[in-house]
Amino acid sequence: LHEAERTFSLREARLKQYLDSLPFGVLVLNELSDPLFQNQPLTRLLGRSVQKDETVEQWLAAACPNDQHRDHVAMLWREDVWRRQPTRPFPLAPADGLLKDLEFQPASLPGGGLLVSIQDATEKVRHEEQLRATEAKFRALLQESPLPIVLMDKAGSVFEVNHLAEELFGHPKNELRRHPLDRWFDEESAAARVEAVRDLQLRSQRSTMIDVHVLREDYDPIPVHLHLA
């Protein structure tokens, strides 16, 4: 019995050492949402551990700058992490007072309870926000351009157009996406576009312009300047 207890203690110590060496916080809760275990990285994330007889909501509330923020975080914890269990970022202010985005990733435990992995996702969230902002600016520039614009892949197939391009070709975006751009040119213009793209690549140039004719069922071929970049 003494040997079994010693083996169990060593195994438990090794497990705790392993959990404390992880690069993210670990919080284990029972089926009543009471904390059972927390590792050292969890303490570093918010500057304090979950205290004895303290609920997770109270622990999170201490990192909220105001009541409105506190109510929002409590709702995220109850409705998302504890009930539905998706991965969710929390905006929280640790001991240094700087607002950070901590990502909570929950996983159900056999027999009830929850294991929550927590890591600092501030840079990741900021990059995602910057990406969304850049995408929004790009789409605004695309749609508000005074010229028809068509974006193509390397095979020459259309994947995005603005509303002026839809008017020029006489087809909505979803129809234009089904075909390569050359579908809307006459044979000579299509060949000229392919040759111009090949010449751009060979010369390592950024752009060029050629004259082509756009085909529409309700019009004669429309002469346009095609600027390739």
Side-chain angles (χ1 to χ4, degrees):
L1 180 60
H2 176 74
E3 186 65 25
E5 289 177 348
R6 179 174 176 276
T7 301
F8 178 79
S9 297
L10 289 174
R11 187 176 300 170
E12 188 176 21
R14 281 197 297 267
L15 177 60
K16 186 178 184 304
Q17 184 180 13
Y18 167 72
L19 292 173
D20 285 338
S21 67
L22 292 173
F24 52 85
V26 174
L27 179 63
V28 180
L29 309 171
N30 64 14
E31 66 277 6
L32 299 177
S33 188
D34 298 324
L36 298 178
F37 173 81
Q38 53 190 311
N39 66 350
Q40 290 182 3
L42 182 75
T43 302
R44 292 194 291 269
L45 282 173
L46 286 184
R48 61 185 291 271
S49 60
V50 184
Q51 301 300 310
K52 186 178 181 180
D53 298 329
E54 183 180 37
T55 67
V56 175
E57 288 188 23
Q58 291 170 337
W59 176 64
L60 294 173
C64 296
N66 53 57
D67 291 341
Q68 184 179 4
H69 191 178
R70 190 176 299 114
D71 292 341
H72 175 65
V73 167
M75 185 270 295
L76 286 178
W77 170 258
R78 289 193 302 267
E79 300 300 325
D80 286 357
V81 177
W82 180 255
R83 182 173 301 176
R84 297 192 295 115
Q85 300 179 14
T87 298
R88 179 72 65 204
F90 279 58
L92 296 168
D96 58 10
L98 298 177
L99 196 65
K100 295 182 179 180
D101 290 285
L102 302 185
E103 187 176 77
F104 284 58
Q105 184 174 356
S108 297
L109 294 174
L114 200 66
L115 184 149
V116 186
S117 302
I118 307 171
Q119 59 182 332
D120 190 344
T122 304
E123 289 300 318
K124 173 186 172 183
V125 172
R126 297 295 183 270
H127 290 160
E128 290 175 349
E129 290 175 350
Q130 291 174 359
L131 183 62
R132 285 193 293 268
T134 301
E135 177 74 9
K137 292 176 183 178
F138 165 74
R139 293 201 172 276
L141 290 170
L142 177 69
Q143 294 301 328
E144 299 306 322
S145 170
L147 296 173
I149 296 180
V150 177
L151 302 182
M152 300 180 296
D153 59 22
K154 292 182 178 180
S157 296
V158 176
F159 68 85
E160 187 60 87
V161 300
N162 63 359
H163 67 281
L164 290 178
E166 292 179 289
E167 294 177 4
L168 173 64
F169 293 105
H171 293 276
K173 182 188 302 185
N174 62 332
E175 291 185 11
L176 291 171
R177 282 174 171 169
R178 298 175 185 174
H179 303 280
L181 181 63
D182 294 341
R183 163 69 176 77
W184 315 107
F185 294 157
D186 60 21
E187 186 175 345
E188 183 179 349
S189 297
R193 187 202 67 81
V194 173
E195 183 62 30
V197 171
R198 184 182 298 115
D199 190 56
L200 275 178
Q201 295 170 342
L202 290 175
R203 297 174 181 271
S204 299
Q205 295 178 334
R206 296 183 61 85
S207 63
T208 189
M209 188 176 69
I210 61 174
D211 292 327
V212 298
H213 287 86
V214 172
L215 300 178
R216 288 186 52 166
E217 296 177 357
D218 50 347
Y219 290 92
D220 292 333
I222 304 172
V224 300
H225 298 304
L226 178 64
H227 186 272
L228 298 167

